[in-house]
Amino acid sequence: MVFSLIRRRASAPAGVACPHSAAAAAPALASVPGGPERVDRRQAEEFVRQFHDEYPGAGAVDARVREVRAEIARTGTYEHTPEELSFGARVAWRNAARCIGRLYWNSLVVRDLRGVSSADGIAAACAEHLALAGNGGRIRPVLTVFAPDRPGRPAPRIVNDQLVRYAGHRTPAGRWVGDPRAAATTAVARELGWKREEEPFQVLPLMVRERPDARPEWYELPDGAVHEVALRHPEHAWFAGLGLRWYAVPAISDMVLEIGGVRYPAAPFNGWYMGTEIGARNLADADRYDLLPLVAEKLGLDRSSERTLWRDRALVELNVAVLHSFQEDGVTMADHHTESERFLRHIARERRHGRPTPADWSWIVPPLSGSATPVFHRYYDPVDPALRPAFVPRQG
């Protein structure tokens, strides 16, 4: 897909305060004078040896370790080979303790775009990422890796937490329009000159910051880049009239991919949705779209007491609508019962390879009918915050 630069917008005027301006970005890097630090040689060596352990045909490990040591001594960092990069990205997914969908970690498509560092180039590549991952509805797990941080030279960052996210703002009357979770990002986009609409499912622009001292550039995603599914219910015709929809590709864009001490701050990645992420959280949570009262009213449920379980009944029907709609449109989506079974298969497979499967129970257990799934009734290997490769929260 060709990214349309006609849709590019200039950065904010100098007089407009922006949370992602140099003044706001500086504290995040204050602990690292001059920018990111040198790569830890021990972390680099551990990763290289892990790569060679899992891929014995990769060549002489000691020779590669010597190369990496020499490059770090000379430059403060080192460059992963394409094979190391792909392996590291896939293992970062394998190590993601909060993800239930890790069975397919080794199928992750890794796009090596480390040479792309301009805001225009990153925005265009992100649009291409969405098209590749969307795949006409047959969602593919994809990760796009942009330039890494180097000693004293922070790489570009994507401001958005997801490549696609619906805007959200509170009206003067106090009513929320759109997704409250996106309020801060929406405010940043408006300060940069983006025009917000009074519409609950308006896709935010993509914002890219090339340097800590640079204001973000913002870009409307091209027509066709965002695949959305209109929600309807298999038994209740009125549901379509609610005008609900959701995007098909959940691409996280605010995590740092850390491999062997090298940090990639712009590395958007996606899998596919599990239905409950949309139906039981995004659309149902009281601090998100808060649709349970509306759905319950349309269903004619008795809301006079919590003991009628009206929330539970509305929640089930909302999730039925999400799963039905994605299936009818031919868009990949997992249900929480099937995905739970797959996760246990993943654990068994990892055990056969002699590897632990760290997992955060509070994230693995689905938010709907948790005790009816097999992932509820067991313990998991403890989460190790130091485990690498990994996707880690971005600090600045």
Side-chain angles (χ1 to χ4, degrees):
M1 176 180 293
V2 177
F3 187 81
S4 173
L5 289 181
I6 295 175
R7 293 179 174 270
R8 181 184 172 192
R9 299 295 188 271
S11 55
V16 178
C18 173
H20 294 271
S21 66
L29 293 175
S31 61
V32 187
E37 296 176 326
R38 295 170 63 89
V39 166
D40 187 310
R41 193 180 74 173
R42 290 172 300 176
Q43 293 180 26
E45 291 183 22
E46 287 175 5
F47 168 71
V48 170
R49 294 190 184 281
Q50 179 187 7
F51 171 66
H52 283 259
D53 283 345
E54 296 196 31
Y55 288 89
V61 62
D62 289 337
R64 177 58 179 153
V65 166
R66 287 194 295 272
E67 287 179 3
V68 169
R69 285 176 178 169
E71 192 172 353
I72 293 174
R74 186 174 66 256
T75 67
T77 187
Y78 69 105
E79 184 173 326
H80 291 123
T81 66
E83 295 77 17
E84 289 169 349
L85 181 69
S86 294
F87 170 75
R90 291 170 182 148
V91 173
W93 185 12
R94 188 176 81 192
N95 289 340
R98 292 180 169 182
C99 179
I100 195 174
R102 286 178 269 169
L103 178 63
Y104 305 105
W105 66 270
N106 209 25
S107 68
L108 180 68
V109 176
V110 179
R111 303 173 68 220
D112 183 356
L113 297 183
R114 287 175 287 179
V116 178
S117 58
S118 70
D120 286 356
I122 291 172
C126 286
E128 293 165 357
H129 176 121
L130 290 171
L132 178 64
N135 192 30
R138 299 182 62 183
I139 310 298
R140 287 183 286 210
V142 176
L143 180 142
T144 300
V145 186
F146 295 109
D149 282 339
R150 297 182 179 277
R153 291 164 52 196
R157 269 80 167 146
I158 297 169
V159 175
N160 312 61
D161 65 336
Q162 292 192 20
L163 296 185
V164 182
R165 174 75 81 184
Y166 294 128
H169 71 279
R170 193 189 293 272
T171 67
R175 181 179 63 89
W176 277 103
V177 175
D179 190 350
R181 180 169 180 175
T185 310
T186 302
V188 173
R190 291 192 66 200
E191 289 173 349
L192 293 173
W194 179 70
K195 302 300 182 184
R196 185 195 69 204
E197 298 174 3
E198 299 297 315
E199 200 270 311
F201 298 101
Q202 183 184 13
V203 176
L204 281 163
L206 187 69
M207 293 173 282
V208 181
R209 180 158 53 91
E210 290 186 1
R211 303 179 312 279
D213 61 347
R215 295 180 183 275
E217 301 282 351
W218 67 272
Y219 307 81
E220 294 277 14
L221 289 168
D223 294 337
V226 181
H227 188 160
E228 295 177 283
V229 175
L231 303 185
R232 59 270 193 198
H233 194 283
E235 299 174 4
H236 301 294
W238 53 261
F239 198 98
L242 298 179
L244 308 179
R245 62 179 185 266
W246 206 262
Y247 50 89
V249 179
I252 306 300
S253 53
D254 67 343
M255 302 287 283
V256 174
L257 172 61
E258 188 170 318
I259 303 173
V262 178
R263 295 170 60 86
Y264 298 93
F269 63 94
N270 72 274
W272 51 75
Y273 270 117
M274 187 165 73
T276 53
E277 294 179 84
I278 299 171
R281 298 301 310 276
N282 299 345
L283 295 177
D285 281 357
D287 60 352
R288 299 293 297 281
Y289 279 83
D290 193 22
L291 289 175
L292 294 186
L294 174 61
V295 173
E297 178 184 344
K298 291 290 188 178
L299 289 168
L301 301 179
D302 177 6
R303 293 195 289 148
S304 64
S305 168
E306 296 294 349
R307 294 177 65 86
T308 66
L309 301 184
W310 65 268
R311 296 181 196 277
D312 308 69
R313 295 167 67 187
L315 188 63
V316 169
E317 296 306 327
L318 187 53
N319 278 270
V320 167
V322 169
L323 287 168
H324 168 76
S325 303
F326 272 67
Q327 180 173 322
E328 287 292 297
D329 280 12
V331 176
T332 305
M333 170 173 278
D335 67 84
H336 51 293
H337 296 285
T338 301
E339 205 61 56
S340 295
E341 295 283 356
R342 288 173 178 169
F343 187 63
L344 296 188
R345 286 166 53 196
H346 169 67
I347 292 175
R349 180 185 293 177
E350 291 300 294
R351 185 181 297 117
R352 289 195 297 271
H353 287 284
R355 296 190 292 253
T357 307
D360 184 333
W361 188 94
S362 66
W363 280 72
I364 296 301
V365 175
L368 174 67
S369 305
S371 63
T373 65
V375 294
F376 180 91
H377 305 278
R378 58 167 297 153
Y379 295 100
Y380 297 97
D381 293 321
V383 177
D384 178 5
L387 185 63
R388 298 292 186 273
F391 293 104
V392 299
R394 190 168 64 201
Q395 303 296 325

